[in-house]
């Protein structure tokens, strides 16, 4: 996928309809680490909220290669796997205005609602050291993609 490419509308809808996934990052010993995450379509990729004090954040800083598996809620009606590199917006690489806005976008997308008190939300996410992550995939595969292609044929 091109860096600024958009996901097909059917893929974005699949992510929107199935907001849980499994993120795979790589430990220092190259063994995979799997984490359950909330996902949403964002900027031509998969958006995820993580925290700076978690192993997955440290893994992704060291090696941004990752994948996310998103399955239909019943696990048997199809899944998609997104492979690529994590783009992280965190306290070490963003300005005082950029990070709160990225965190707010994550909240709005993953909960599908707006914060009642953004100042309180900003305080909590700063305390939690939340990170905005986007995985713009180089490769997408899975049986749900095959079904989407068949439906469009």
């Amino acid at each position: 996928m091109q860096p600024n490419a958009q996901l097909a509308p059917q893929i974005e809808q699949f992510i929107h309809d199935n907001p849980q996934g499994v993120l795979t990052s790589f430990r220092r010993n190259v063994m995979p680490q799997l984490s359950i995450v909330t996902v949403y379509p964002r900027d031509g990729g998969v958006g995820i909220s993580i925290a700076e004090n978690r192993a997955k954040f440290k893994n992704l800083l060291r090696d941004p290669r990752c994948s996310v598996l998103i399955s239909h809620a019943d696990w048997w009606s199809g899944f998609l796997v997104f492979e690529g590199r994590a783009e992280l917006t965190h306290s070490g690489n963003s300005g005082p205005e950029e990070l709160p806005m990225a965190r707010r976008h994550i909240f709005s997308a993953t909960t599908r609602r707006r914060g009642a008190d953004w100042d309180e939300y900003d305080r909590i996410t700063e305390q939690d050291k939340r990170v905005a992550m986007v995985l713009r995939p180089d490769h997408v595969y899975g049986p749900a993609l095959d079904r989407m292609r068949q439906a469009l044929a």
Side-chain angles (χ1 to χ4, degrees), residues 3 7 28-29 36 41 47 58 60 65 79 82 94 98-99 102-103 105 110 124 127-128 130 133 146:
L7 295 174
R28 192 177 310 273
N29 68 2
I36 296 172
K58 294 169 186 157
L60 292 166
R65 294 176 307 132
F79 64 86
F82 300 82
S94 59
E98 178 187 9
L99 186 55
R103 290 171 172 162
H105 187 85
T110 58
I124 291 168
Q127 181 179 328
D128 288 349
R130 300 308 296 177
M133 176 188 153
D146 296 337

Side-chain angles (χ1 to χ4, degrees), residues 14-25:
F14 185 86
I15 298 168
H16 181 78
D17 293 345
N18 301 286
Q20 292 85 29
V22 178
L23 169 68
T24 303
S25 60

